[in-house]
């Protein structure tokens, strides 16, 4: 596999050499030709990596398909190859296949990949096969700047097993210009009998989305739609559904588990709160664009980010896409925490509790991460690549490109001046964006992704059940009852104590106040 990269590496070297010549009189220390504003000193900088000589050595990276994460992986691999002389092969894999493409070589003892990019919730399965991040890299300036929440992503069993290069949470994105337009407000009032407001509950979200679906509300001659959501079964649909179910099933006064009852390890996935969330997820289809029931993350990014839809939720990517310098809706968008619920299922009492102020559940999705395989014979080069990928200059560049999928994860990313002063965002919008991110990280009632052994099986089962309901093949209750049965079987196969021990770490984070 690795020998096949020689020709491509030579092509990369030729292309990048031409790029260097095009830079004219730029000196060896001027790295702006790589698209960064300036190099930032430190062990991960362009200058430091340029001093390395990995000529004659091969580095193999597995990552997600282009564009999300896959595109920056490829970009920085080509830069790393030019700087160090290494031969670098990047393998791109669709999300639905990524877990198995990494796990099978682990289980069979193959040294297939040096560097791994993947969904960080898989650490419950991957951790025995990952190299611990060396102290020198943990002490780098980039690592020292991590927020507490994102630092937790890298930890397993008291050791840093994942190299942090992303920070993820779900929140609401919406077209501020449409919500504040008097004509749009009047139309909504006429059709619904209430004022047009940014949705505070998922019921309100669906109502707004339906009113603004199927007609040209932005005047570009093309029909617009109410909501873009990640619904494709094998492309992170489970995360979109969790966002919708969380406020109905995560009671702020009930501890001990969201996915399972920690004490009994009984799945909670089919309780009335989860079912309500799925009912609303199914109902939302009426406001999707054509083909929206098969939207993956990339589709959601370009639908909202391109101005086709009024609202969206999930990661930062669609918002950043909308804020590209050539975007027709730049500075016309805004953010808020995910919608909540006025009725919340209390599993201790077996009743619905009513909230005057909607209950919200901040969803920390852990997000993309990276690691080095313990079996790798190139750990020095592999960690240098990740160190380079996540250096401050590259991250600043990547944060500005929506399709890249790199979202705020360092403390300085939560400074509105960075987004307004340096990137040209509207100051009020930048301030609200930062406030939204900070509110999520500091919110009391939080939900974290399930990080346990077998998580791939659990999430595949959940996505399959949700897909059945979305397709009308079963009712939401029937679909989630089937998921709960499968989850019980998965727990038994893996071992209840083993799953409980890992899940306790998640519950501790969720129940912390």
């Amino acid at each position: 596999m690795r020998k096949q990269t020689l020709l491509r590496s030579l092509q990369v070297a030729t292309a990048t050499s031409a790029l260097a010549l095009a830079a004219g009189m730029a000196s060896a220390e001027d790295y702006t030709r790589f698209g960064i504003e300036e190099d930032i000193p430190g062990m991960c900088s362009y200058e430091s990596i340029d001093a390395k000589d990995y000529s004659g050595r091969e580095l193999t990276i597995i990552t997600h398909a282009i564009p999300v994460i896959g595109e920056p992986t490829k970009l920085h691999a080509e830069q790393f190859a030019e700087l160090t002389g290494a031969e670098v092969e990047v393998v791109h894999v669709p999300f639905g296949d990524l877990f198995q493409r990494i796990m099978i070589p682990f289980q069979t003892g193959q040294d297939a990949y040096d560097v791994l990019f993947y969904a960080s919730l898989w650490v419950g399965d991957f951790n025995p096969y990952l190299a611990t991040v060396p102290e020198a890299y943990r002490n780098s300036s980039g690592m020292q700047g991590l927020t507490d929440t994102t630092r937790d992503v890298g930890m397993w069993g008291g050791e840093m097993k994942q190299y942090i290069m992303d920070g993820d949470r779900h929140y609401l994105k919406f077209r501020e210009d449409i919500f504040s337009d008097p004509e749009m407000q009047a139309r909504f009032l006429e059709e619904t009998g209430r004022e047009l407001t940014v949705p505070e509950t998922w019921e309100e979200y669906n109502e707004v989305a339906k009113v603004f679906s199927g007609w040209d509300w932005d005047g570009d001659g093309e029909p617009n739609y109410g909501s873009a959501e990640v619904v494709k079964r094998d492309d992170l649909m489970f995360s979109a559904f969790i966002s919708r179910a969380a406020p109905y099933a995560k009671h702020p006064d009930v501890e001990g588990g969201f996915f399972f009852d920690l004490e009994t390890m009984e799945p909670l996935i089919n309780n009335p709160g989860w079912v309500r969330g799925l009912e609303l997820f199914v109902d939302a289809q009426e406001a999707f664009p054509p083909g929206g029931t098969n939207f993956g993350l990339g589709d959601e990014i370009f639908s909202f980010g391109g101005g086709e839809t009024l609202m969206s939720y999930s990661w930062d990517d669609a918002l950043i896409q909308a804020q590209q310098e050539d975007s027709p809706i730049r500075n016309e968008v805004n953010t808020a925490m995910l919608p909540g619920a006025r009725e919340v299922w209390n599993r201790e009492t077996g009743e619905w509790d009513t909230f005057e102020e909607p209950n919200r559940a901040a969803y920390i999705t852990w997000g993309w991460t990276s690691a080095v395989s313990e079996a790798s014979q190139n750990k020095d080069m592999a960690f240098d690549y990740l160190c380079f990928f996540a250096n401050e200059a590259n991250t600043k560049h990547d944060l500005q490109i929506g399709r890249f999928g790199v979202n705020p994860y360092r403390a300085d990313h939560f400074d509105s001046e960075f987004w307004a002063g340096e990137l040209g965002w509207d100051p009020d919008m930048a301030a609200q964006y930062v406030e939204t991110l900070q509110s999520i990280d500091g919110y009391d009632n939080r939900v974290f992704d399930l990080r346990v052994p077998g998580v791939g099986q659990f999430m595949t089962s959940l996505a399959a059940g949700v897909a059945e309901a979305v397709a009308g093949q079963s009712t939401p209750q029937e679909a989630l009852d089937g998921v709960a049965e499968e989850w019980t079987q998965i727990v038994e196969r893996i071992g209840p104590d083993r799953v409980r021990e890992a899940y306790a770490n998640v519950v501790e984070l969720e129940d912390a106040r």
Side-chain angles (χ1 to χ4, degrees):
M1 181 196 308
R2 297 185 178 186
K3 294 183 183 300
Q4 296 174 351
T5 64
L6 178 58
L7 178 58
R8 190 162 66 83
S9 298
L10 291 172
Q11 292 171 336
V12 168
T14 300
T16 50
S17 294
L19 182 62
L21 289 173
M25 301 303 292
S27 70
E29 290 75 29
D30 180 5
Y31 298 101
T32 57
R33 68 185 188 277
F34 290 99
I36 62 171
E37 292 183 9
E38 62 177 344
D39 195 19
I40 297 177
M43 65 177 292
C44 305
S45 68
Y46 276 79
E47 182 178 23
S48 295
I49 297 302
D50 197 6
K52 308 275 184 175
D53 184 3
Y54 290 133
S55 301
R57 296 180 63 182
E58 303 172 15
L59 187 72
T60 304
I61 303 168
I62 185 168
T63 189
H64 187 237
I66 289 175
V68 181
I69 295 301
E71 190 171 346
T73 303
K74 179 177 182 291
L75 170 66
H76 299 316
E78 292 174 347
Q79 295 166 340
F80 187 82
E82 180 185 352
L83 292 169
T84 67
E87 298 175 11
V88 185
E89 177 184 17
V90 179
V91 179
H92 294 96
V93 180
F95 186 81
D97 300 327
L98 187 57
F99 179 88
Q100 290 298 335
R101 287 288 297 272
I102 295 175
M103 193 64 183
I104 290 173
F106 281 163
Q107 293 174 325
T108 55
Q110 301 176 59
D111 176 15
Y113 311 107
D114 301 299
V115 176
L116 323 158
F117 287 87
Y118 58 90
S120 61
L121 75 167
W122 295 340
V123 68
D125 289 295
F126 290 173
N127 72 89
Y129 309 101
L130 305 179
T132 300
V133 179
E135 182 178 5
Y137 298 91
R138 297 198 306 271
N139 290 333
S140 67
S141 58
M143 281 288 190
Q144 293 300 305
L146 297 177
T147 67
D148 291 342
T149 300
T150 52
R151 186 180 304 279
D152 288 340
V153 177
M155 305 303 293
W156 188 268
E159 295 185 320
M160 181 170 277
K161 290 288 189 177
Q162 302 188 123
Y163 203 104
I164 308 304
M165 35 60 67
D166 181 35
D168 281 340
R169 56 203 65 77
H170 276 193
Y171 59 86
L172 175 65
K173 300 174 280 281
F174 60 92
R175 287 284 297 272
E176 175 72 45
D177 58 328
I178 303 301
F179 275 86
S180 61
D181 187 312
E183 291 185 15
M184 302 300 165
Q185 293 170 348
R187 177 163 178 162
F188 185 81
L189 179 62
E190 181 180 353
E191 293 196 24
T192 67
R194 74 174 184 88
E195 301 288 339
L196 176 61
T197 57
V198 176
E200 293 193 333
T201 68
W202 285 109
E203 287 89 350
E204 291 179 3
Y205 182 101
N206 283 10
E207 180 184 38
V208 172
K210 289 175 186 177
V211 170
F212 287 91
S213 189
W215 57 283
D216 180 18
W217 41 253
D218 64 359
D220 67 354
E222 299 292 335
N224 297 96
Y225 299 89
S227 179
E229 309 185 31
V230 181
V231 193
K232 188 176 182 180
R233 173 175 166 174
D234 295 327
D235 193 350
L236 298 167
M237 175 238 266
F238 65 85
S239 278
F241 169 56
I242 291 169
S243 279
R244 279 185 167 269
Y248 300 93
K250 182 63 168 65
H251 197 292
D253 300 323
V254 177
E255 299 183 347
F258 170 65
F259 294 100
F260 297 95
D261 181 312
L262 182 61
E263 185 175 337
T264 66
M265 289 309 294
E266 174 189 0
L268 303 174
I269 198 73
N270 61 333
N271 73 27
W274 282 93
V275 173
R276 178 73 61 83
L278 184 49
E279 290 171 348
L280 290 164
F281 197 37
V282 172
D283 177 66
Q285 294 180 76
E286 295 181 29
F288 290 173
T293 54
N294 197 41
F295 268 17
L297 178 57
D299 301 303
E300 183 245 358
I301 291 171
F302 291 110
S303 180
F304 178 82
E308 180 183 40
T309 42
L310 178 72
M311 298 181 294
S312 178
Y313 64 94
S314 74
W315 297 270
D316 295 75
D317 312 322
L319 179 79
I320 304 303
Q321 185 66 30
Q323 285 296 101
Q324 301 297 291
E325 290 190 2
D326 60 350
S327 169
I329 60 171
R330 179 174 167 86
N331 287 324
E332 302 288 358
V333 295
N334 224 320
T335 62
M337 285 190 66
L338 288 173
R342 288 194 168 88
E343 288 188 322
V344 184
W345 182 251
N346 187 326
R347 63 182 176 85
E348 291 185 343
T349 65
E351 296 179 349
W352 289 96
D353 288 342
T354 301
F355 289 73
E356 182 175 346
E357 181 71 21
N359 173 59
R360 299 179 193 264
Y363 182 23
I364 312 296
T365 60
W366 296 106
W368 296 103
T369 194
S370 61
V372 172
S373 170
E374 182 61 51
S376 170
Q377 301 302 304
N378 298 298
K379 291 187 182 68
D380 56 342
M381 186 163 50
F383 278 115
D384 273 349
Y385 169 76
L386 290 179
C387 177
F388 172 71
F389 180 105
N391 74 32
E392 290 91 326
N394 282 338
T395 299
K396 182 178 178 180
H397 169 273
D398 296 350
L399 283 172
Q400 302 178 50
I401 302 176
R403 66 183 184 275
F404 273 22
V406 176
N407 303 152
Y409 64 97
R410 291 183 177 128
D412 59 352
H413 301 161
F414 292 76
D415 179 1
S416 63
E417 179 57 28
F418 167 71
W419 303 97
E422 297 192 40
L423 305 189
W425 288 22
D426 175 81
D428 290 339
M429 182 217 161
Q432 185 167 333
Y433 171 63
V434 168
E435 181 181 346
T436 297
L437 300 187
Q438 291 173 330
S439 296
I440 294 168
D441 279 18
Y443 209 67
D444 282 346
N445 196 33
R446 300 191 294 175
V447 167
F448 288 83
D449 269 329
L450 184 64
R451 294 206 310 174
V452 298
V455 68
Q457 299 174 55
F458 289 118
M459 292 301 107
T460 297
S461 170
L462 178 60
V466 172
E468 284 184 13
V470 169
Q473 298 170 351
S474 61
T475 68
Q477 185 70 67
E478 291 168 345
L480 293 182
D481 284 346
V483 174
E485 284 185 30
E486 291 182 354
W487 279 28
T488 298
Q489 295 168 6
I490 296 169
V491 170
E492 289 302 316
R493 285 199 303 269
I494 297 173
D497 290 340
R498 186 178 171 214
V499 179
R500 181 188 292 108
E501 181 181 4
Y503 186 49
N505 296 315
V506 179
V507 173
E508 182 180 2
L509 289 170
E510 289 180 344
D511 291 348
R513 293 291 190 269

